[in-house]
Amino acid sequence: MGSIQPQGEPFIEADGVRVDARDVEALRGVDEYGSMYRAAEELGRSYARIQRRVSELEETFGPLLTRQRGGTGGGGSTLTANARDLLGRFDRLRAEFSGLARTEESVFSGTLVDRDGLLGTVETPAGTIRAIVAGAGSEGDATAEAGDDTESPDDTNEIVQVSVRSDAVVLTTPEEAPKPSETSVRNRFAGTVESVESEGGIARVTVDVGVDAPLRALLTETSRETLALEPGETVVASFKATAARGVLAPEHGGSVGSESAEVDTTEKGTSEDTTGNDTSEE
Amino acid sequence: MGSIQPQGEPFIEADGVRVDARDVEALRGVDEYGSMYRAAEELGRSYARIQRRVSELEETFGPLLTRQRGGTGGGGSTLTANARDLLGRFDRLRAEFSGLARTEESVFSGTLVDRDGLLGTVETPAGTIRAIVAGAGSEGDATAEAGDDTESPDDTNEIVQVSVRSDAVVLTTPEEAPKPSETSVRNRFAGTVESVESEGGIARVTVDVGVDAPLRALLTETSRETLALEPGETVVASFKATAARGVLAPEHGGSVGSESAEVDTTEKGTSEDTTGNDTSEE
DNA sequence: AGTCGTTGTATCTATATTGATGCAACGACG
DNA sequence: CGTCGTTGCATCAATATAGATACAACGACT
């Protein structure tokens, strides 16, 4: 108990109207029980609310239910193909998210030395990393919150934290590692396997790449066996630039002047104690 | 206008308490303006609310602010290292999410023929895919919503939709494609480049893998050039099993008995019209 | 023509969240 | 020792969201 969990509430938005988990639950209820009325009953929610909500959603997402009022059994409602499509999207989105929560990330801190559109080159203690760097650069994205005043047209030399999801890290045997000219993988690190733990057919491998925090990779147990990955083995870890995300480290406006860690790794979904982060001392 | 956007509201949770974008905004305000009071003022929010909220969060996340009451200037508050760590996590999470929204996914529908813990083998028209399949299988995860009654201990032969994010797809030249014994990449498809569009240093490539909907890949423009990817070229597209997510397709309880698409590709973040999905006709 | 279980509204209430306001306590500083 | 702009806390009001209830309209079926 008490574990810190980065997560996300999935939703599908159009024109400022959001379809969230609750809406999906309702629609699925209608599909299952044949009418909004019964769905409301079974789900323990008010019919009025569901009815209003569906109508509201239909204004922006198009027809979701085919209603029939009267008739045998009094009528009922069935989902349109449109609605099914929406449900499918939501399910996949949710799967993506739950996976994201389960996936650890490795983060490297470095300085942005070059930028071309969304693509940035970050110099880190572990080597050069190419990543998609959000912010200032080009497009105005939905990330922009209130109070952001980083408007620097050129953000090179800024401190950037690059994070890579462990499920995006590919491990290869050193001998057979393909040259960059042959794949679309731009980031490569040589290292040695530090630890391996397996569970449910999935193996978590940490790779020492020369800096204090390891690079984490998520593999199938099958792959781990095939590659004969054991602690001490040498491997090449690589990941695509488009799978790595860089975040401009916001400089603290006010008081403390230090921080700016070199490298640190943050576990997602497994960590439990945040307090003792040896990052910024006094 | 009117584009459908799958998204997610990031948050960090512990013990049922969530730190959301609003909280982060407030904390960042304190960092910037030096006190909760001024932060509230500048952000146009009530001081009382922020004060209560911070105290509330501190109960589960540990000390976030170092308060000083009285003293020169009346006092003020500064962030603890703990709080900075939290902000950092949130930023990276948000970056992950905004990236997710921008990333297209390719989805293949098939039947689950085998399962080992989280890992499933799915037979699709395009070939066999190994993916992490959520649900029923093993662990009770946070995804479970009300009304889920898929309790089948064995869900083989169920219909599954496998989705792969385009930033997880690696493209290689056919000659040099590494054998599966040498990498941790389990899913490979041979195909031909269908279309290429480039923007901001990032290229979106669609690969025809023999089924009607293409596999999408996101590359750096540099990679695209290096691999000389142009429409018509043959390539090998591969992705890790741990980067592919499978979702059990919920069978519609009630009425329509068809649907169950073979393969369809859903664009994330760029699509604008949902209605005309040529998946299930009439 | 009556029955039945819906849909479609409208109105009222309950609850949760947030803002607004007031006020005592604080403590370095002049 | 008073000033000042905070923190800490309590209380009330405003707002948003969801449930509760009521009732007319509907239309295939008996």
Side-chain angles (χ1 to χ4, degrees), chain A residues 49-66:
Chain A
R49 178 71 194 135
I50 290 186
Q51 192 277 329
R52 266 176 303 179
R53 182 65 180 155
V54 169
S55 302
E56 194 180 330
L57 292 182
E58 282 181 321
E59 280 181 21
T60 56
F61 288 91
L64 298 175
L65 295 186
T66 307

Side-chain angles (χ1 to χ4, degrees), chain A residues 5 7 9 11 13 85 92 102 139 165 167 169 171 184 186 218 223 240 245 266 274 277, chain B residues 5 7 9 11 13 85 92 102 139 165 167 169 171 184 186 218 223 240 242 245 266 274:
Chain A
Q5 279 256 347
Q7 267 182 267
E9 178 107 3
F11 61 87
E13 182 172 309
D85 176 64
R92 293 194 296 272
R102 220 190 311 275
E139 26 67 89
R165 303 168 27 152
D167 62 4
V169 176
L171 298 185
S184 58
R186 294 255 74 77
L218 200 63
S223 288
K240 297 180 58 184
R245 314 265 169 226
T266 314
T274 323
N277 200 331
Chain B
Q5 279 257 346
Q7 269 184 265
E9 178 105 5
F11 61 87
E13 181 174 309
D85 176 65
R92 294 194 296 273
R102 219 190 312 274
E139 27 64 90
R165 301 165 32 148
D167 61 4
V169 176
L171 297 185
S184 58
R186 297 255 72 79
L218 200 63
S223 289
K240 296 180 61 184
T242 50
R245 313 264 168 225
T266 313
T274 321

Side-chain angles (χ1 to χ4, degrees), chain A residues 258-264 276-281, chain B residues 81 84-85:
Chain A
S258 54
E259 216 220 13
S260 81
E262 282 279 289
V263 174
D264 74 315
N277 200 331
D278 52 356
T279 266
S280 69
E281 58 289 323
Chain B
R84 291 192 194 286
D85 176 65

Side-chain angles (χ1 to χ4, degrees), chain A residues 1-15 18 21 25 28 31-32 61 78-79 81-82 84-86 88-89 91-100 102-103 105 107 116-119 132 134 139 141-143 145-147 149 161 163 165-173 176 178-186 200-202 217-220 222-223 226-227 240-243 245-247 250 252-256 259 264 266-268 271 274-275 277 280, chain B residues 1-15 18 21 25 28 31-32 61 78-79 81-82 84-86 88-89 91-100 102-103 105 107 116-119 132 134 139 141-143 145-147 149 161 163 165-173 176 178-186 200-202 218-220 222-223 226-227 240-243 245-247 250-256 259 264 266-268 271 274-275 277 280:
Chain A
M1 55 189 98
S3 86
I4 287 190
Q5 279 256 347
Q7 267 182 267
E9 178 107 3
F11 61 87
I12 295 179
E13 182 172 309
D15 288 340
R18 290 183 176 186
E25 180 196 37
R28 201 148 265 145
D31 189 28
E32 183 163 0
F61 288 91
T78 59
L79 301 198
N82 196 8
R84 292 192 192 285
D85 176 64
L86 202 59
R89 284 186 197 223
D91 275 342
R92 293 194 296 272
L93 189 64
R94 178 190 280 161
E96 209 77 65
F97 275 44
S98 79
L100 205 161
R102 220 190 311 275
T103 306
E105 58 175 351
V107 6
D116 172 22
L118 286 172
L119 196 67
I132 293 185
E139 26 67 89
D141 58 359
T143 306
E145 299 289 329
D149 44 319
Q161 295 196 314
S163 65
R165 303 168 27 152
S166 58
D167 62 4
V169 176
V170 176
L171 298 185
T172 26
T173 56
E176 301 292 348
K179 310 168 204 74
S181 60
E182 295 151 358
T183 76
S184 58
V185 178
R186 294 255 74 77
I202 308 285
L218 200 63
L219 320 174
T220 61
T222 319
S223 288
T226 314
L227 296 178
K240 297 180 58 184
T242 49
R245 314 265 169 226
V247 187
H252 348 299
S255 31
V256 194
E259 216 220 13
D264 74 315
T266 314
E267 310 111 76
K268 271 185 179 178
S271 61
T274 323
T275 323
N277 200 331
S280 69
Chain B
M1 55 193 99
S3 88
I4 285 190
Q5 279 257 346
Q7 269 184 265
E9 178 105 5
F11 61 87
I12 294 179
E13 181 174 309
D15 289 340
R18 291 183 175 185
E25 182 195 37
R28 202 149 264 145
D31 189 29
E32 183 164 358
F61 288 92
T78 58
L79 302 198
N82 196 10
R84 291 192 194 286
D85 176 65
L86 202 60
R89 285 188 196 221
D91 274 342
R92 294 194 296 273
L93 188 64
R94 178 190 280 160
E96 209 77 66
F97 277 43
S98 80
L100 206 160
R102 219 190 312 274
T103 305
E105 58 176 351
V107 6
D116 172 22
L118 286 172
L119 196 68
I132 292 185
E139 27 64 90
D141 60 357
T143 307
E145 299 290 328
D149 44 319
Q161 296 197 315
S163 65
R165 301 165 32 148
S166 57
D167 61 4
V169 176
V170 175
L171 297 185
T172 27
T173 56
E176 302 291 348
K179 311 168 202 76
S181 60
E182 295 150 358
T183 76
S184 58
V185 178
R186 297 255 72 79
I202 308 286
L218 200 63
L219 320 175
T220 60
T222 319
S223 289
T226 315
L227 296 177
K240 296 180 61 184
T242 50
R245 313 264 168 225
V247 186
E251 72 286 349
H252 348 299
S255 31
V256 193
E259 214 221 14
D264 73 314
T266 313
E267 312 111 72
K268 272 185 180 177
S271 61
T274 321
T275 325
N277 200 333
S280 66

Side-chain angles (χ1 to χ4, degrees), chain A residues 255-256, chain B residues 27 30 34-36 54 58 62-69 75-84:
Chain A
S255 31
V256 194
Chain B
L27 286 178
V30 174
S35 75
M36 299 170 66
V54 170
E58 283 182 323
L64 297 175
L65 295 186
T66 306
R67 280 103 153 155
Q68 195 193 353
R69 178 154 72 166
S77 298
T78 58
L79 302 198
T80 63
N82 196 10
R84 291 192 194 286

